[in-house]
Amino acid sequence: MTTTATTVQQATPASPGAGGVGLRLRGLRRSFGATTALDGLDLDIAPGELVALLGPSGCGKTTALRIIAGFETADTGELLIGDEDVTAVPANRRDIGMVFQSYSLFPTMTAAENVAYGLRVRKVSKAERAARAEELLELVGLPGREKHYPHQLSGGQQQRVALARALAIRPRMLLLDEPLSALDAKVRLQLREEIRRLQLELGITTVFVTHDQEEALSMADRVAVMKDGRLEQCAAPNELYERPTTPFVAEFVGTMNRLPGVVRDGGTVEVLGRRLPVHGECPGTGRTVEVLLRPEGLKVRTGTDADGEAATVRVATFLGSTTRLLLTTDSGAEAKADLPSWEADALTPGARCTLTPHEKPVLVEEAA
Amino acid sequence: MAGMTATPRTRTATPRQPGRPLRSRPYGSVLVLLLAALYFLVPVAASLWFTVDDPGKGLTFGAYAKGLRDGGMATSLGLSVRLGLATVALGLLLMVPTMVVVTLRLPKLRRVVEVLCMVPLIMPPIALVAGVSTVLSWEDDLRTTPLWGTFQALHDKNFPLVLVLVYTVMSLPFLYRSLDGGLRAVDLKTLVEASRSLGASRPGTLCRVVVPNLRPAIVSGAVLSLAMVLGEFTVANVLGFEPFSVWMVHVGEYEAQLSVAAAMLSLLITWGLLLLLTNLAGGRNRNRNRDRDRNRTGNRRRTTV
Ligand SMILES: Nc1ncnc2c1ncn2[C@@H]1O[C@H](COP(=O)(O)OP(=O)(O)OP(=O)(O)O)[C@@H](O)[C@H]1O
Ligand SMILES: [Mg+2]
């Protein structure tokens, strides 16, 4: 249901080096008994960049983040913050701010005391702590809540305080593990924009774990898609969406059709009566494959003609500016197609039409 | 119910109606409270009457005066209180770090620790004391070894360490139950990790985050243990020491009124001690803790009493 339409293009992308350091993960491996949580994870993050770690449940996102934070150790592999190998540095000396998925404020302390906690540990004077706590609570949009205890704050407010607390120590890097997943949709949307605004303002290197692709695509400079403890692809949101390098990424990000096709000479594939160049892995000539096409990558014309493949509209869902059609081709394949609503007037359920793909390189996968 | 089925219009006409079910609820609680109070207060009142009523002469506070003048009472009560405080201190020192480590690092051992801590509850004190007596009787055989001094200290009449040790074992179930409830009420792992990521050392995290969050549980465990020690009779009696409970029984054999008067006084003193401890729990966020106790650990704790 997500499209790149929600991506907020920043006029000034993260100003590199503004206040952050780079991060390099090299071949991180971690097993828990028989389960392999990380299976050789490699990832480079530039200073001041926000990278979203995206992937299905259990793919090792949290494990990766906890290794970066120092709460977990990798069995093998290397972890560099800037140029320093921090593998042996304990969590309390890594200077990394972290916001947790569950509410993690200290229940016995007020909001201000929570924010000032890291400074108290660093023996900063009381007056300075109070001033900084006030400043940070204001920064996260909670002025005047200094004296509130966590149980007197809403979930969204608690996560804001947690963010302020993590930023108070002026960390080298910020780690967020699904900080918004416990919040309702509206607060989530609002808070993610604020996190991004703050991150850009401070230029702090940030790793943001999520399994919500919309969140990842709309916030991140780059999105790292993980699968089974390994990195599948790490790219800018629009590139990830438009040019996924593997079928897994293609299907995980956005919606994908799988339509039958046959491989032809010269690295092309025949699908819906057209020949398209294959991008990525291509099986031998003559093989039957499944071709991956986005719903907006299909053209739908009213009526049938020789060009393309004839199909029947099953369901038409009005989504505002676009309409999504569920179609069945005459050869029996199912396809989803998105087209501008003003073009979809005649395409009511039962209507006959013709499907053709846009002329773009496509990913294929050998039919199971 | 009538208020709930009423249409919005009638509700605005009589705005107090929706509040009625809420207001009627306290009557039930008051009734329960009254019954409970009767249950506790009738015996106390009867005892009180027994101590101040001198048949034929009317009201007298002679028994209390005598109790306060009697050196035996002060000595035995002092011993009980000191034993109680030492037991609580030792028990907490043992159990708080253990439980925290088990929760954070060795969750698999939780069951083992639970079973171990519950053993004193199912083992009768008389069995425990039989074992202790046997060990203490080795003393003569050890007369020539350095251990002898330790044995002497163990059953020093002024402060029998052996009682502290036995009482600590007997208080394990109370401490375990309270601390377990407290630990389950907070997500300690995340709090500790948050503290660590903000730069705190492990001991710093224990003092600033773990203990404050466990304070209600620590206090409740301490209160229960203290109450147990102040009332313990079997072990002290069999081993031949005379803390308050033993003294009371001894006195009761020849001076019933004095013994009951002492019981009344001890009730007051015990309450005072418990109140003091509970207030120590408070600090400035007592209200919050009280809320949380009521919501989460309250039920569990009540069942252990
Ligand atoms: N402490 C642990 N003990 C045993 N297994 C673990 C532990 N932590 C993680 N795992 C396992 O490692 C794998 C990866 O877990 P991880 O929490 O990193 O996944 P995730 O990508 O964060 O998933 P989710 O989106 O559900 O949070 C899972 O199979 C999980 O069961
Ligand atoms: Mg996770």
Side-chain angles (χ1 to χ4, degrees):
Chain A
M1 62 152 284
T2 318
T3 67
T4 40
T6 52
T7 304
V8 185
Q9 284 298 332
Q10 299 292 335
T12 46
S15 41
V21 290
L23 173 72
R24 270 178 290 170
L25 316 183
R26 289 270 174 278
L28 289 185
R29 212 172 284 272
R30 176 71 164 109
S31 322
F32 298 99
T35 43
T36 306
L38 289 183
D39 189 12
L41 177 68
D42 291 298
L43 185 61
D44 274 18
I45 297 173
E49 192 178 30
L50 192 158
V51 169
L53 279 187
L54 180 67
S57 191
C59 70
K61 306 181 295 288
T62 298
T63 307
L65 211 65
R66 290 172 58 80
I67 289 176
I68 300 173
F71 301 138
E72 200 77 74
T73 45
D75 298 333
T76 57
E78 236 187 342
L79 173 65
L80 296 125
I81 297 179
D83 291 320
E84 181 196 0
D85 185 343
V86 295
T87 316
V89 178
N92 60 333
R93 301 226 206 89
R94 289 201 184 179
D95 255 335
I96 291 179
M98 180 140 182
V99 178
F100 297 81
Q101 174 172 10
S102 52
Y103 301 135
S104 61
L105 294 183
F106 306 125
T108 51
M109 299 180 199
T110 62
E113 287 169 330
N114 263 286
V115 175
Y117 182 83
L119 303 174
R120 201 170 106 204
V121 169
R122 286 168 174 70
K123 306 222 165 26
V124 174
S125 77
K126 204 170 177 183
E128 202 176 322
R129 283 190 332 234
R132 181 111 175 102
E134 200 182 319
E135 173 196 337
L136 274 154
L137 283 173
E138 178 136 17
L139 192 68
V140 297
L142 289 175
R145 300 296 171 114
E146 285 83 1
K147 297 228 160 61
H148 284 60
Y149 281 95
H151 73 280
Q152 297 169 317
L153 298 170
S154 73
Q157 289 171 334
Q158 287 189 47
Q159 289 302 64
R160 283 167 197 263
V161 176
L163 184 64
R165 181 178 68 177
L167 291 173
I169 58 171
R170 300 185 205 279
R172 291 193 285 182
M173 180 175 299
L174 189 61
L175 305 179
L176 304 125
D177 189 359
E178 305 198 30
L180 310 177
S181 66
L183 308 176
D184 69 65
K186 205 174 152 203
V187 181
R188 200 154 60 203
L189 206 71
Q190 194 184 355
L191 207 45
R192 87 179 181 210
E193 277 164 18
E194 278 185 48
I195 290 176
R196 177 58 164 163
R197 175 182 59 78
L198 266 174
Q199 185 269 333
L200 285 171
E201 223 170 273
L202 302 171
I204 184 167
T205 314
T206 303
V207 184
F208 186 106
V209 166
T210 177
H211 58 236
D212 180 342
Q213 46 159 315
E214 188 182 321
E215 214 163 88
L217 294 174
S218 63
M219 286 177 76
D221 292 309
R222 283 190 305 150
V223 178
V225 181
M226 287 178 64
K227 181 197 177 195
D228 298 338
R230 239 179 288 191
L231 186 68
E232 279 282 300
Q233 185 178 4
C234 184
N238 58 342
E239 188 181 338
L240 199 73
Y241 188 83
E242 314 234 344
R243 285 182 298 281
T245 51
T246 67
F248 175 81
V249 174
E251 293 209 272
F252 193 75
V253 179
T255 309
M256 258 312 168
N257 288 305
R258 278 175 176 267
L259 292 167
V262 178
V263 179
R264 300 289 180 215
D265 292 333
T268 60
V269 64
E270 193 176 314
V271 62
L272 299 177
R274 291 283 170 87
R275 270 198 185 198
L276 303 176
V278 172
H279 148 77
E281 243 173 87
C282 183
T285 307
R287 306 294 285 270
T288 332
V289 292
E290 285 182 332
V291 182
L292 279 70
L293 291 163
R294 295 268 185 220
E296 66 273 19
L298 292 177
K299 282 183 279 190
V300 185
R301 269 172 289 122
T302 322
T304 52
D305 51 53
D307 187 26
E309 190 163 339
T312 312
V313 178
R314 292 272 165 251
V315 183
T317 312
F318 178 69
L319 299 171
S321 59
T322 62
T323 293
R324 168 157 298 181
L325 302 175
L326 190 62
L327 307 136
T328 310
T329 64
D330 284 2
S331 59
E334 292 229 329
K336 292 179 192 126
D338 286 349
L339 60 164
S341 289
W342 53 268
E343 283 182 15
D345 275 351
L347 295 163
T348 51
R352 298 282 292 157
C353 57
T354 309
L355 269 183
T356 47
H358 282 288
E359 302 278 346
K360 268 186 165 179
V362 291
L363 281 174
V364 302
E365 198 170 43
E366 211 149 348
Chain B
M1 269 294 109
M4 306 203 73
T5 51
T7 65
R9 229 177 84 210
T10 55
R11 227 185 292 154
T12 45
T14 51
R16 261 187 267 129
Q17 231 176 2
R20 269 180 60 195
L22 274 178
R23 232 184 303 140
S24 67
R25 218 182 292 143
Y27 293 130
S29 333
V30 167
L31 187 72
V32 171
L33 205 68
L34 224 71
L35 281 175
L38 273 180
Y39 187 80
F40 285 114
L41 290 181
V42 167
V44 172
S47 305
L48 195 66
W49 181 244
F50 176 69
T51 56
V52 296
D53 178 48
D54 199 341
K57 286 187 211 153
L59 275 185
T60 164
F61 290 94
Y64 287 92
K66 200 169 173 193
L68 290 174
R69 256 185 281 117
D70 191 314
M73 173 164 155
T75 319
S76 61
L77 194 61
L79 178 60
S80 278
V81 170
R82 280 184 296 141
L83 284 174
L85 295 180
T87 302
V88 165
L90 184 62
L92 287 176
L93 223 57
L94 201 66
M95 285 305 283
V96 172
T98 307
M99 294 287 288
V100 168
V101 168
V102 165
T103 306
L104 294 178
R105 291 293 180 86
L106 306 159
K108 279 181 203 142
L109 282 185
R110 190 173 211 140
R111 291 291 306 168
V112 178
V113 173
E114 177 173 8
V115 168
L116 279 180
C117 286
M118 288 301 140
V119 166
L121 210 56
I122 46 175
M123 189 165 62
I126 195 76
L128 195 67
V129 83
V132 173
S133 301
T134 312
V135 174
L136 284 180
S137 70
W138 297 344
E139 188 179 347
D140 281 342
D141 302 335
L142 298 169
R143 200 171 282 277
T144 52
T145 71
L147 269 180
W148 193 63
T150 315
F151 266 74
Q152 292 281 298
L154 271 180
H155 57 99
D156 178 357
K157 283 262 187 253
N158 289 323
F159 191 67
L161 272 177
V162 67
L163 278 189
V164 174
L165 297 180
V166 175
Y167 287 164
T168 301
V169 170
M170 287 168 68
S171 72
L172 288 182
F174 304 115
L175 291 176
Y176 177 85
R177 274 288 163 225
S178 307
L179 291 175
D180 186 56
L183 285 165
R184 281 177 202 272
V186 291
D187 182 356
L188 199 68
K189 190 159 174 273
T190 307
L191 293 184
V192 166
E193 285 179 358
S195 167
R196 299 276 294 152
S197 79
L198 290 166
S201 62
R202 274 177 230 275
T205 301
L206 190 72
C207 296
R208 290 190 175 125
V209 174
V210 178
V211 169
N213 273 292
L214 288 183
R215 193 148 63 176
I218 289 175
V219 168
S220 107
V223 164
L224 292 175
S225 307
L226 194 64
M228 186 272 294
V229 173
L230 292 182
E232 208 286 329
F233 174 77
T234 318
V235 175
N237 189 44
V238 171
L239 291 181
F241 301 110
E242 198 173 59
F244 189 63
S245 57
V246 178
W247 175 83
M248 217 159 71
V249 171
H250 288 171
V251 167
E253 280 163 14
Y254 52 93
E255 257 186 287
Q257 219 179 14
L258 175 57
S259 152
V260 177
M264 291 278 96
L265 284 176
S266 84
L267 204 62
L268 267 178
I269 291 166
T270 312
W271 271 352
L273 263 178
L274 299 190
L275 211 69
L276 194 78
L277 259 182
T278 316
N279 271 300
L280 279 182
R284 57 203 170 129
N285 43 39
R286 187 162 357 142
N287 285 330
R288 189 194 65 82
N289 290 339
R290 224 187 274 148
D291 279 356
R292 204 178 58 180
D293 281 358
R294 209 178 295 136
N295 296 340
R296 295 177 181 164
T297 57
N299 292 333
R300 207 170 290 131
R301 188 173 307 147
R302 224 166 287 138
T303 57
T304 65
V305 176

